[in-house]
Amino acid sequence: MSPIVVVLNGPNLNLLGKREPEIYGRETLADVEADCRRVARELGLQIEFHQSNREYEIIDFIHSARERAAGIVINPAAFTHTSVAILDALNTFAGPIIEVHISNVHKREAFRHHSYVSGVASGVIVGCGTQGYAFALQRLVKLIGAKKG
Ligand code: DQA
């Protein structure tokens, strides 16, 4: 059985492609999901891909990943900068976590420079566009030690 990786996306990422394309690009979340599925197949991972605008749903997805998933990729979007509750949920997850931000948050407003999630993440990928998700899966496969096939 291939290891399961859960890919989580926070608020407003459902509007990817339409929302501030000069910052986030023109690719939609469906494009990102398709790319993640293609990369996951190549790496021998199974992925579950979710987006929610609701903090409690992200927390529920993290709880449901416990005991089942080998790793988590998370772009918490604006919750990155606000949510102790998501940090607490991630702290209950035993496997590696990779945090992804499409934009370079460090080049942007000061309130985006702090992340509650980075303290629990094994790695953080920032400013690599939507390609950051593929990088995150590649890193997770190393950390999990999954073998293809
Ligand atoms: C983001 C950066 C956050 O500051 C912002 O609130 C987002 C997206 C990114 O992917 O660059 O919604 O996480």
Side-chain angles (χ1 to χ4, degrees), residues 16 22-27 32 35 75 98-108 123-138:
L16 203 61
E22 65 290 354
I23 297 176
Y24 299 112
R26 301 227 168 252
E27 264 192 296
V32 174
D35 202 43
N75 182 348
I98 307 289
E99 177 183 354
V100 172
H101 299 286
I102 297 166
S103 65
N104 181 356
V105 284
H106 300 293
K107 244 172 119 175
R108 300 181 64 194
V124 182
I125 297 169
V126 165
C128 295
T130 52
Q131 211 183 349
Y133 289 82
F135 295 157
L137 291 172
Q138 282 162 357

Side-chain angles (χ1 to χ4, degrees), residues 74-88 90-91 97-101 105-106 109-126:
I74 184 165
N75 182 348
F79 292 147
T80 308
H81 319 297
T82 62
S83 182
V84 175
I86 288 177
L87 169 65
D88 285 351
L90 289 171
N91 268 321
I97 296 162
I98 307 289
E99 177 183 354
V100 172
H101 299 286
V105 284
H106 300 293
E109 304 95 319
F111 65 82
R112 295 185 203 275
H113 299 177
H114 175 260
S115 165
Y116 282 101
V117 171
S118 295
V120 71
S122 301
V124 182
I125 297 169
V126 165

